[in-house]
Amino acid sequence: MTTNADSAKPTRRRAPAGAAVLREDVTEAIQAAVFEELAAVGYARMSIEGIARRAGVGKTAVYRRWRSKLHLVLDLVSAIAVQGLPAPDTGSLEEDLLLLYRVTSRALKHPVAGQIIPDLQAEAARNPEIAEAMQKALREGQHGVASGIVQAAVARGELRDGLDEDLALDLISGPLYWRAVVVRTPELPKGHLQRLSAATAAALKAL
């Protein structure tokens, strides 16, 4: 029996559908599907339908998280570069560089990365938003870690205070990306990363 007291109690309002918590496993499945779809068909031919099909979800699940494939790719490109990179702290400039090069080299050799990066670079030449996202990702990722290596080396007295940091970051990041992304050397020569680390450390000390 319903009483006046019962009717006076505040009723619990249902949260609108759009406010529902987004399932993390679905988000991760979509993100994985984006990279697979990019590698398979490229950005230009990639579609929300293809991503949803590959992720095993409906298109609505994708659109609840991102407005378009552009926003989806921009979000992932901005986030991926700052994940998985170490913040080396070996106590040695050369060893810090070697650790960074080893991790970066493994990531760049991944077949999916090898297909996606050149495609996004081509799109960046045509799409200012993608170009800006890639530049931001590089600044926050690779350059952010490289900057930390330089600052730590300065604090230890291995590099002089006041050196040209932009040039230092170019020296650190340029050679490996040239080999892996531009020239696309399938396999680096044995001992290449050790020699690169030693040469880069020597170049930085000469700045």
Side-chain angles (χ1 to χ4, degrees):
M1 178 178 176
T2 303
T3 65
N4 288 339
D6 290 330
S7 61
K9 291 178 182 178
T11 56
R12 190 174 179 180
R13 297 180 62 186
R14 278 183 72 185
V21 175
L22 299 177
R23 285 176 50 187
E24 187 175 347
D25 60 330
V26 173
T27 301
E28 291 174 353
I30 294 171
Q31 291 171 333
V34 171
F35 289 112
E36 293 170 5
E37 192 75 359
L38 271 172
V41 303
Y43 177 82
R45 294 174 56 200
M46 187 179 75
S47 66
I48 295 296
E49 290 82 357
I51 293 168
R53 184 168 54 251
R54 195 178 288 270
V57 300
K59 289 191 297 182
T60 304
V62 181
Y63 281 120
R64 286 179 65 193
R65 291 160 172 82
W66 296 278
R67 297 202 306 266
S68 67
K69 75 171 186 177
L70 174 61
H71 288 92
L72 200 167
V73 171
L74 292 180
D75 185 35
L76 293 188
V77 167
S78 298
I80 199 66
V82 298
Q83 298 175 355
L85 284 176
D89 187 18
T90 67
S92 160
L93 172 60
E94 188 172 327
E95 290 299 317
D96 282 355
L97 291 170
L98 180 57
L99 177 57
L100 175 64
Y101 286 151
R102 281 176 171 163
V103 174
T104 304
S105 179
R106 283 198 299 269
L108 291 174
K109 282 195 298 187
H110 191 284
V112 174
Q115 291 172 284
I116 289 174
I117 292 174
D119 186 61
L120 286 180
Q121 285 179 321
E123 286 297 328
R126 298 186 288 266
N127 189 317
E129 289 184 274
I130 290 181
E132 183 180 350
M134 291 191 71
Q135 290 170 2
K136 180 175 183 288
L138 287 173
R139 283 196 304 270
E140 294 182 353
Q142 185 79 17
H143 274 203
V145 174
S147 179
I149 291 175
V150 169
Q151 291 169 12
V154 170
R156 290 193 299 264
E158 290 185 89
L159 297 178
R160 71 174 182 85
D161 193 12
L163 84 170
D164 185 337
E165 188 167 317
D166 286 336
L167 181 55
L169 300 185
D170 289 342
L171 286 170
I172 293 172
S173 303
L176 191 56
Y177 275 88
W178 171 263
R179 281 268 194 164
V181 179
V182 182
V183 180
R184 304 188 74 179
T185 304
E187 195 67 38
L188 294 173
K190 186 176 181 179
H192 177 77
L193 295 183
Q194 287 86 347
R195 292 193 298 273
L196 178 59
S197 302
T200 304
L204 292 172
K205 291 174 182 178
L207 290 181

